[in-house]
């Protein structure tokens, strides 16, 4: 046995079966016309393969590819009979018979051409079989009609005996191909000496093909096709009877109903897809009148179905974006191309949703715009992200600018006390100095040293705050004792500038212990009082505290130069003192208030100010008020 040739035949049979099943599968969208055309092509190919083109499989068995095509055509007819109604079955039967008759007539006409004496055959192609093939095709057409009747009768009969789809298909097709092989070959080759061999080869070839196709088509019907309509198989009478007007009307009504169901299925599929899609979908007339929106569009726009039907969708668009949308609409009408625009919807609760809108024009064959199909995609989070990035970028640039200014100022702040220390240290070496001069120089060196120490402490503290390593050490401390210490400490400095320094708290009223970080509170008050003295040239400074809403609030008020309202927030930014180019920018690194505010935040409080330019300032420090519980005897 030639297994190579057998394998080729099985491959050919698989390809033919796959083509038939594919064309049948797409019948819902493309109709059966392509399958009919394919079967007609098979009939034409059989004519030129049925005689003279055989392959030897084994001794005594010759197989033609025509057998594969013919058996495939019968299986295609059976497939249509099982899955479609009588009308479709009748169409394919008539199509097969008509194609055979037409091909036979064409072959006969070609034979008439060849009988003319002036026929020219430059390639010496044999033409002696034209007439024979035409006769064979006539016999084949007759046998094909009998095959069709047998398929319908046998399958209907066997379906009553067994429920196995495979056995019904296999039994029907084995009987049909065997009868076909006997009748066709007996009629076509009755005068051949090897008639029995031809019949035997034909039966074996078609039976093997039928068995192979029974497996493929059974798998297709069970796995790839919807639920079978086997309980409504048509009879021969149903297929070939002449329809009355009433029956034709019912058939038309049935087809219309079928078409309507298909439309409903497609519409349901469309609505399901638009319902689950993550973008809003809409359809509008050329005038902008909405005819359809999906659920996501309503969600994004904040509109209701009633508002869409009332054509109020533009009322939800941000007023500043209406002109842009109208411009894009006109552009789409003119260019007949896809346009996009970013705009905003305002919801009834006042919230704003950014969207990316896209519109695609629908046009007829003449290019006239019939309407628009579009989408809206929610890009609110993207916009917020972009805004946040812009703010962070600006903040980073501002921070870099302030740090550069701070470094420039810091170099001056460090050099100034260093120059004082080094310069007056050299002067102290002079032997002609009086005692008073020496003491004055020592005081200057000491003052410069303190100034240098404060700058270094500020740099260390701001670095620890930046790194997040600053710690809070809470303990109970005496508020009155702290305020008395600050009053005694700063009184000489205030008196040196002829300023009145007062404490609004009765420091003789006993002790008040509260829980907090005493060092941080002391540092903040020191900074606030020192700044008040620095920026006050006449008048005075008063400080104290009060309790409000579970907060202990310290305050420092002065009659100094004040702070412009536009700089109320800026003075608490790090390095900002170095960037204020007016009379506020006095000696200092510009870190004190920033550190003070950071300390207060770490303790669960805050620092803020109230000030009016040229009228003084009031700074406040709040910390949680946690008094020490009095012990009872």
């Amino acid at each position: 046995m030639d297994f190579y040739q057998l394998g080729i035949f099985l491959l050919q049979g698989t390809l033919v079966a796959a083509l038939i099943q594919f064309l049948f599968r797409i019948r819902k969208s493309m109709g059966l016309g392509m399958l009919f055309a394919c079967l007609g092509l098979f009939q034409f190919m059989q004519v030129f393969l049925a005689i003279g083109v055989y392959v030897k499989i084994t001794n005594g068995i010759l197989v033609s590819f025509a057998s594969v095509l013919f058996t495939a055509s019968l299986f295609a007819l059976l497939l249509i009979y099982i899955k479609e109604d009588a009308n479709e079955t009748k169409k394919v039967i008539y199509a097969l018979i008509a194609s055979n008759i037409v091909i036979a007539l064409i072959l006969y006409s070609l034979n008439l051409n060849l009988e003319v004496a002036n026929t020219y055959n430059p390639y010496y192609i044999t033409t002696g079989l034209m007439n024979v093939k035409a006769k064979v095709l006539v016999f084949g057409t007759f046998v094909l009609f009998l095959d069709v009747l047998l398929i319908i009768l046998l399958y209907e009969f066997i379906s009553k005996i067994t429920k196995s789809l495979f056995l019904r298909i296999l039994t029907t097709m084995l009987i049909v191909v065997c009868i076909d092989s006997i009748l066709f070959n007996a009629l076509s080759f009755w005068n051949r000496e090897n008639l029995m061999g031809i019949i035997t080869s034909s039966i074996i070839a078609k039976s093997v093909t039928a068995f192979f196709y029974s497996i493929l088509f059974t798998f297709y019907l069970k796995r790839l096709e919807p639920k079978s309509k086997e309980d409504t198989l048509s009879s021969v009478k149903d297929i070939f009877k002449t329809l009355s007007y009433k029956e034709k009307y019912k058939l038309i009504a049935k087809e219309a109903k079928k078409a309507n169901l298909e439309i409903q299925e497609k519409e349901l599929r469309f609505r399901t897809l638009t319902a689950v899609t993550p973008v809003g979908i809409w359809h509008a007339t050329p005038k902008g009148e909405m005819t359809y929106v999906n659920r996501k569009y309503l969600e994004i726009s904040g509109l209701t179905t009633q508002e869409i039907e009332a054509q109020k969708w533009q009322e939800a668009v941000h007023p500043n974006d209406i002109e842009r949308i109208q411009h894009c609409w006109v552009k789409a009408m003119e260019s007949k191309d896809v346009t996009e625009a970013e705009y905003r919807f305002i919801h009834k609760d006042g919230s704003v949703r950014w969207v990316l809108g896209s519109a695609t024009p629908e046009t007829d064959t003449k290019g006239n715009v019939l309407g628009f199909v579009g989408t809206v995609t929610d890009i609110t989070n993207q916009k917020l992200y972009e805004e946040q990035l812009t703010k962070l970028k600006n903040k980073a640039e501002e921070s870099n600018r302030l740090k550069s200014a701070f470094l420039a100022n810091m170099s001056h702040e460090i050099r100034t006390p260093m120059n004082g220390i080094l310069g007056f240290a050299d002067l102290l070496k002079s032997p002609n100095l009086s005692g008073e001069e020496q003491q004055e120089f020592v005081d200057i060196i000491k003052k410069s040293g303190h100034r240098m120490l404060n700058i270094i402490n500020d740099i260390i503290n701001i670095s620890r705050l930046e790194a997040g390593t600053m710690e809070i050490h809470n303990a109970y401390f005496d508020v009155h004792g702290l305020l008395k210490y600050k009053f005694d400490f700063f009184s000489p400095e205030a008196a040196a500038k002829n300023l009145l320094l007062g404490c609004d708290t009765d420091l003789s009223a006993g002790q008040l212990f509260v829980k907090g970080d005493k060092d941080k509170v002391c540092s903040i008050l020191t900074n606030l009082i020192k700044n008040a003295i620095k920026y006050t040239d006449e008048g005075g400074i008063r400080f104290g505290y009060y309790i409000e809403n579970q907060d202990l609030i310290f305050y420092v008020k002065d009659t100094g130069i004040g702070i412009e309202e536009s700089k109320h927030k800026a003075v608490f930014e790090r390095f900002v003192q170095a960037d204020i180019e007016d009379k506020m920018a006095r000696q200092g690194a510009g870190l004190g208030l920033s550190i003070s505010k950071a300390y207060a935040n770490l303790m669960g409080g805050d620092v803020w100010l109230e000030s009016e330019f040229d009228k003084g300032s009031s700074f406040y420090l709040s910390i949680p008020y946690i008094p020490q519980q009095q012990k009872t005897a």
Side-chain angles (χ1 to χ4, degrees):
M1 179 176 289
D2 191 339
F3 289 102
Y4 175 75
Q5 292 291 350
L6 182 61
I8 291 176
F9 271 110
L10 291 177
L11 176 61
Q12 292 169 343
T14 303
L15 293 175
V16 171
L19 176 60
I20 291 174
Q21 291 171 1
F22 171 73
L23 294 177
F24 187 76
R25 180 68 175 169
I26 63 173
R27 68 191 186 281
K28 296 293 185 183
S29 58
M30 305 293 292
L32 288 170
M34 295 180 67
L35 180 58
F36 288 176
C38 182
L39 295 178
L41 178 63
F42 289 169
Q43 299 306 304
F44 183 78
M45 292 175 66
Q46 288 178 59
V47 174
F48 294 93
L49 295 173
I51 297 176
V53 184
Y54 283 84
V55 176
K56 185 177 180 180
I57 299 298
T58 185
N59 292 332
I61 300 179
L62 300 174
V63 180
S64 172
F65 182 57
S67 300
V68 176
L69 295 177
F70 179 76
T71 308
S73 298
L74 295 181
F75 269 88
L77 189 146
L78 178 62
L79 186 62
I80 294 172
Y81 171 67
I82 293 173
K83 299 300 296 180
E84 296 295 325
D85 56 25
N87 189 48
E88 295 296 335
T89 306
K90 179 167 61 177
K91 288 179 183 179
V92 72
I93 293 172
Y94 288 165
L96 287 174
I97 295 174
S99 63
N100 279 17
I101 294 173
V102 171
I103 294 171
L105 293 174
I106 292 173
L107 290 176
Y108 270 121
S109 66
L110 289 174
N111 187 61
L112 294 175
N113 288 123
L114 296 175
E115 291 176 355
V116 179
N118 61 355
T119 302
Y120 181 57
N121 188 357
Y123 301 106
Y124 304 103
I125 299 173
T126 179
T127 58
L129 296 177
M130 288 294 185
N131 192 40
V132 178
K133 291 181 178 179
K135 292 178 181 179
V136 169
L137 192 56
V138 172
F139 295 142
T141 303
F142 171 73
V143 175
L144 177 62
F145 183 72
L146 295 178
D147 291 340
V148 169
L149 296 178
L150 281 174
I151 288 174
I152 296 171
L153 293 171
L154 286 172
Y155 190 84
E156 184 181 8
F157 175 75
I158 296 172
S159 296
K160 297 176 182 178
I161 299 175
T162 178
K163 296 295 183 183
S164 171
L165 180 63
F166 175 72
L167 289 178
R168 279 181 278 171
I169 294 175
L170 178 62
T171 306
T172 299
M173 299 312 292
L174 284 177
I175 295 173
V176 171
V177 296
C178 288
I179 294 174
D180 174 86
S181 298
I182 295 171
L183 286 177
F184 175 73
N185 290 296
L187 291 172
S188 302
F189 312 116
W190 59 273
N191 58 346
R192 296 289 182 91
E193 293 180 0
N194 61 340
L195 178 59
M196 289 305 297
I198 294 174
I199 292 175
T200 302
S201 295
S202 179
I203 290 175
I204 293 174
K206 291 182 178 179
S207 297
V208 172
T209 306
F211 180 80
F212 181 61
Y213 276 172
S214 295
I215 296 173
L216 295 181
F217 280 81
T218 301
F219 176 82
Y220 172 80
L221 287 169
K222 283 191 171 183
R223 301 295 181 186
L224 302 178
E225 273 293 311
K227 187 178 179 182
S228 178
K229 299 180 181 179
E230 296 166 341
D231 56 335
T232 58
L233 290 174
S234 304
S235 64
V236 175
K237 181 181 178 181
D238 295 330
I239 294 173
F240 293 104
K241 72 176 181 178
T242 303
L243 299 177
S244 63
Y245 285 110
K246 184 176 181 181
E247 289 172 329
K248 290 180 180 178
Y249 173 77
K250 288 182 178 180
L251 181 61
I252 293 172
K254 182 179 179 181
E255 292 179 349
K257 183 178 179 181
K258 181 180 178 182
N260 188 47
L261 288 173
E262 291 177 358
I263 293 173
Q264 290 179 359
E265 288 177 1
K266 291 180 179 179
E267 183 176 354
L268 179 62
R269 189 180 302 113
F270 166 76
R271 292 193 177 276
T272 302
L273 289 172
T274 57
V276 300
T277 187
V279 299
I281 298 176
W282 55 268
H283 180 272
T285 66
K287 296 181 179 179
E289 298 173 349
M290 289 288 184
T291 58
Y292 171 79
V293 295
N294 69 341
R295 188 187 310 162
K296 192 65 177 180
Y297 182 94
L298 298 177
E299 177 186 331
I300 293 174
S301 65
L303 296 166
T304 63
T305 304
Q306 292 75 18
E307 288 172 327
I308 292 294
E309 292 173 351
Q311 304 303 324
K312 295 183 178 180
W313 66 272
Q314 292 192 33
E315 296 180 5
V317 178
H318 196 286
N320 295 342
D321 299 336
I322 290 289
E323 185 176 349
R324 188 186 316 126
I325 295 177
Q326 291 174 344
H327 173 73
C328 290
W329 195 274
V330 173
K331 181 180 178 182
M333 288 286 292
E334 294 174 349
S335 65
K336 298 180 178 59
D337 199 2
V338 180
T339 57
E340 291 185 347
E342 292 183 359
Y343 55 95
R344 290 161 289 181
F345 281 117
I346 303 177
H347 285 205
K348 295 178 178 64
D349 60 0
S351 61
V352 176
R353 299 284 284 273
W354 273 97
V355 299
L356 173 62
S358 173
T360 303
E362 293 179 310
T363 58
D364 57 17
T365 55
K366 296 181 180 179
N368 299 318
V369 177
L370 303 177
F372 286 90
V373 176
T375 62
V376 288
T377 305
D378 191 341
I379 58 171
T380 304
N381 291 336
Q382 177 183 330
K383 281 292 184 180
L384 292 175
Y385 179 70
E386 290 175 357
E387 291 177 4
Q388 189 67 19
L389 281 180
T390 302
K391 290 180 180 178
L392 290 174
K393 177 177 176 292
N394 294 337
K395 187 174 182 181
E397 291 175 350
E398 179 69 10
S399 177
N400 287 334
R401 187 177 64 82
L402 291 176
K403 284 181 180 179
S404 298
F406 164 74
L407 291 174
N409 184 63
M410 188 62 67
S411 63
H412 168 74
E413 290 296 328
I414 292 176
R415 282 198 303 268
T416 300
M418 283 298 297
N419 289 335
I421 293 172
L422 295 174
F424 284 97
D426 286 338
L427 290 175
L428 284 175
K429 295 178 183 179
S430 176
N432 299 323
L433 292 177
S434 65
E436 290 181 0
E437 289 177 325
Q438 289 180 347
Q439 185 61 45
E440 181 182 356
F441 291 170
V442 169
D443 289 340
I444 292 173
I445 292 173
K446 185 177 180 182
K447 185 176 180 181
S448 298
H450 282 301
R451 182 177 173 185
M452 175 68 76
L453 181 62
N454 289 334
I455 292 173
I456 294 173
N457 285 335
D458 282 349
I459 294 174
I460 293 173
N461 289 333
I462 202 68
S463 299
R464 292 178 65 187
L465 288 169
E466 288 276 3
T469 59
M470 183 66 71
E471 296 179 354
I472 296 297
H473 302 283
N474 287 323
Y476 287 101
F477 66 92
D478 180 19
V479 174
H480 292 173
L482 177 62
L483 293 180
K484 185 177 186 303
Y485 170 75
K486 292 300 173 187
F487 179 78
D488 295 338
F489 183 84
F490 284 105
S491 289
E493 187 174 344
K497 291 186 67 175
N498 294 320
L499 299 175
L500 296 175
L501 180 66
C503 181
D504 295 335
T505 301
D506 186 2
L507 301 180
S508 62
Q511 296 176 323
L512 174 64
F513 285 91
V514 297
K515 192 173 185 179
D517 190 324
K518 180 181 178 181
D519 292 339
K520 300 287 189 300
V521 174
C522 181
S523 175
I524 296 170
L525 290 177
T526 298
N527 183 264
L528 296 180
I529 297 173
K530 183 182 294 185
N531 281 346
I533 295 173
K534 181 193 301 184
Y535 293 109
T536 302
D537 295 325
E538 59 182 19
I541 297 101
R542 304 197 62 81
F543 62 93
Y545 76 90
Y546 60 90
I547 299 170
E548 182 179 88
N549 298 328
Q550 302 300 315
D551 283 333
L552 178 62
I553 300 176
F554 296 92
Y555 60 86
V556 177
K557 301 181 180 182
D558 62 61
T559 59
I561 63 175
I563 302 173
E564 294 179 3
E565 187 176 355
S566 61
K567 294 185 173 71
H568 282 192
K569 291 183 179 180
V571 294
F572 291 106
E573 298 292 334
R574 294 167 188 176
F575 319 121
V576 79
Q577 197 266 1
D579 192 50
I580 299 177
E581 299 177 353
D582 57 23
K583 63 181 181 179
M584 287 179 60
R586 303 190 181 189
Q587 177 179 303
L591 294 175
L593 288 177
S594 174
I595 294 173
S596 297
K597 189 173 183 68
Y599 282 172
N601 294 155
L602 286 174
M603 291 186 291
D606 198 8
V607 173
W608 68 97
L609 69 88
E610 295 174 356
S611 179
E612 189 175 347
F613 189 65
D614 276 342
K615 291 186 178 181
S617 303
S618 298
F619 282 82
Y620 299 89
L621 161 66
S622 68
I623 61 172
Y625 177 54
I626 307 175
Q628 186 177 33
Q629 299 295 326
Q630 298 292 331
K631 295 182 179 180
T632 58

